[in-house]
Amino acid sequence: QVQLVESGGGLVQAGGSLSLSCPSSGRTFSTYNMGWFRQAPGKERDFVAAIKWNSSNTYYADSVKGRFTISRDNAKNTVYLRMDNLEPEDTGVYYCAAEKSETALRLMRNIKLWGQGTLVTVST
C-alpha cells in the first residue's frame, strides 16, 4: 500500500513562496495519479492541483493557476507543489493524495490514499 508523508509547510509573508513535497513509501508510486488539496479553517477541503502518473497532463484550480506548479519525480517516489506569489487566501492544511482515476482525483471523490497534511500560513 502507498503511504504519503507531506512536508514543507510553514509561515510565509504574502507574495512569498513555499515548496511542498510528498514522498511515498510505497513501491507502486509511479502507477498513481497524484494530487494536492487544501482545507482552510472553517471551510471544506478543495482541489488544488493534479498530475498524471507519467506527467503528461497537469490540472489546476482556477484560484492557483499561474502561481502554483505541480510536478513529480517517480525515481524518488515524490510529488511536489511549488507555490509562488502566495496570498492570505492560500492559508490552510495541504494534503497530497494518490488515486488511480484522474477524474476521481480532480473531483476529490472516494479517494482513500491521503497524506497527513502540512500547514501553510500566509500572513499579510
Side-chain angles (χ1 to χ4, degrees):
Q1 184 181 20
V2 173
Q3 294 183 338
L4 310 171
V5 184
E6 302 100 329
S7 65
L11 176 65
V12 65
Q13 191 175 17
S17 299
L18 282 175
S19 293
L20 308 182
S21 64
C22 182
S24 172
S25 62
R27 63 184 182 182
T28 59
F29 174 83
S30 62
T31 69
Y32 285 87
N33 306 296
M34 300 295 298
W36 286 96
F37 303 80
R38 68 187 180 190
Q39 187 166 15
K43 297 184 178 180
E44 297 180 348
R45 190 174 301 184
D46 290 325
F47 169 79
V48 175
I51 186 167
K52 190 175 172 65
W53 67 272
N54 62 358
S55 299
S56 62
N57 277 306
T58 57
Y59 306 89
Y60 296 94
D62 289 341
S63 60
V64 306
K65 286 182 178 178
R67 300 189 299 118
F68 290 13
T69 303
I70 188 171
S71 62
R72 67 190 296 164
D73 186 342
N74 287 351
K76 296 182 178 180
N77 286 1
T78 302
V79 63
Y80 305 91
L81 184 68
R82 173 69 180 185
M83 304 183 293
D84 295 309
N85 195 23
L86 284 161
E87 304 169 351
E89 291 74 20
D90 295 318
T91 293
V93 177
Y94 283 69
Y95 302 87
C96 64
E99 171 59 46
K100 294 287 189 178
S101 168
E102 291 184 78
T103 299
L105 184 66
R106 296 197 304 270
L107 296 177
M108 200 181 70
R109 294 178 178 176
N110 299 317
I111 300 173
K112 297 179 175 61
L113 300 177
W114 293 94
Q116 84 290 343
T118 185
L119 178 63
V120 172
T121 302
V122 184
S123 64
T124 58

